[in-house]
Amino acid sequence: MTQHNGRRVVTNIALSLDGRYAQPGNPVDMGWVMPYAVSDVARDHLTSLWEPATTALLGRVNAEGFLGFWPTVIGMEGADPRDEGFAKWLVDADKVALSSTLREAPWERTAVLDRPAAEVAGELRGTAGGDILVLSSASVIKALLAADQVDRLAITVFPVFLGGGPRLFDDGLPAGRWALARQAAGEDGTLSLVYDRAR
């Protein structure tokens, strides 16, 4: 089993109750997430993840989505303070976008790398800073899970069946144990779960 020292790699993703992270045939439509993402459980969950983190690691699609939307929340009338806090963190944090098509980043404090996620995460571990937070980028999370490079696995489970679509956990992942670090349940049926890799 690989022993990791230094910075933690923390992954965060929303899953449907039937284990999907996207709808069938429409991976970028996050409409199914929105009714639950604004719950106290979901907002507090995300806050607990970004506060100890200093680097965001994203795939290109999520980088474009997150960095296209979240900066607009800063100063938005009626914005929840937790949303605004996350938006400010995302703007100020060091960001690494993994992409084979982008040549340079249109966002500040962002490096674009065309390299395997596990290799990049391994190098980031060896640098100074807080947690390395992977934000909802399923392809990056899948690669890190396959390489046993995830130290903390954070999931919000929303009470919907998507009835199809891609799953996060593929067959053939390295066998291993995880310890429940934190859990919360909302009145709307949302669950937030945080597991630490037992090494």
Side-chain angles (χ1 to χ4, degrees), residues 13 32 49 131 170 177 187:
I13 198 163
W32 66 277
L49 298 175
D131 288 347
D170 294 327
R177 293 184 306 108
E187 292 179 3

Side-chain angles (χ1 to χ4, degrees), residues 33-178:
V33 166
M34 295 319 295
Y36 307 102
V38 296
S39 67
D40 284 334
V41 166
R43 282 175 162 145
D44 291 344
H45 171 79
L46 183 58
T47 300
S48 73
L49 298 175
W50 65 255
E51 284 184 335
T54 56
T55 302
L57 179 57
L58 301 140
R60 179 190 58 81
V61 172
N62 271 55
E64 290 173 347
F66 271 69
L67 295 167
F69 169 72
W70 280 103
T72 69
V73 174
I74 299 170
M76 183 185 288
E77 187 175 343
D80 186 283
R82 293 164 294 188
D83 293 345
E84 197 164 6
F86 172 68
K88 288 176 180 174
W89 173 83
L90 187 61
V91 168
D92 293 339
D94 292 327
K95 293 168 283 292
V96 177
L98 300 177
S99 174
S100 60
T101 55
L102 277 181
R103 290 293 161 251
E104 56 185 44
W107 317 288
E108 291 184 6
R109 301 183 64 99
T110 305
V112 175
L113 300 176
D114 180 11
R115 292 178 28 224
E119 184 181 302
V120 172
E123 287 183 8
L124 286 172
R125 281 181 191 283
T127 61
D131 288 347
I132 301 152
L133 180 57
V134 185
L135 290 164
S136 303
S137 296
S139 62
V140 177
I141 296 172
K142 282 174 172 255
L144 294 174
L145 285 170
D148 198 14
Q149 284 272 345
V150 176
D151 301 302
R152 173 162 278 192
L153 177 66
I155 300 168
T156 44
V157 180
F158 296 143
V160 292
F161 278 9
L162 294 182
R167 294 183 181 276
L168 180 65
F169 302 113
D170 294 327
D171 288 344
L173 289 174
R177 293 184 306 108
W178 296 80

